[in-house]
Amino acid sequence: RIRVGARCISRGALPALVPDVVTKFQSTEEFISTVQASSCVWLIVRPKPLFYLRHRNGYYCDGVNPFSLFCILEYMLHLKSGLAAISAPRHVTSGGLDIIYAIWN
């Protein structure tokens, strides 16, 4: 019943990060590694951008690019238009550095 969302590297002529859902865990270790793969923000949480899942035979990541300027621009537009009250309400952060999660997402 547990589903963990992550992005998987597609195996094709042009590799890309594609959304995937991991289910049916056979062990606690599989579940823990899947959660780690779904939350591995590159250079912030982990030194490597990808996480290999043996039980899925593939490389996964959470899809957050901490070096993207687009997410900062989009967040500023949300602040200006008032959408930030819905997309990143102030009560979900402490006002410190955790605001970065609202900006990235």
Side-chain angles (χ1 to χ4, degrees), residues 17-30:
L17 288 172
V18 294
D20 193 11
V21 175
V22 182
T23 59
K24 299 179 183 175
F25 305 101
Q26 302 299 319
S27 67
T28 304
E29 290 78 23
E30 284 185 6

Side-chain angles (χ1 to χ4, degrees), residues 6-104:
R7 295 188 183 266
C8 177
I9 298 291
S10 66
R11 296 179 181 163
L14 185 61
L17 288 172
V18 294
D20 193 11
V21 175
V22 182
T23 59
K24 299 179 183 175
F25 305 101
Q26 302 299 319
S27 67
T28 304
E29 290 78 23
E30 284 185 6
F31 175 69
I32 290 171
S33 64
T34 302
V35 169
Q36 289 174 333
S38 74
S39 58
C40 63
V41 180
W42 182 37
L43 290 180
I44 307 299
V45 176
R46 293 181 43 89
K48 297 178 182 178
L50 299 172
F51 196 96
Y52 184 73
L53 290 180
R54 284 181 292 184
H55 63 282
R56 295 295 292 245
N57 192 25
Y59 287 93
Y60 283 75
C61 74
D62 62 357
V64 171
N65 181 359
F67 307 107
S68 172
L69 295 178
F70 178 74
C71 58
I72 295 171
L73 175 65
E74 185 179 31
Y75 180 70
M76 294 300 174
L77 290 173
H78 279 217
L79 284 175
K80 185 177 178 181
S81 69
L83 281 174
I86 297 168
S87 64
R90 295 209 183 265
H91 71 275
V92 298
T93 64
S94 67
L97 289 177
D98 60 344
I99 191 69
I100 197 70
Y101 288 106
I103 292 171
W104 281 334

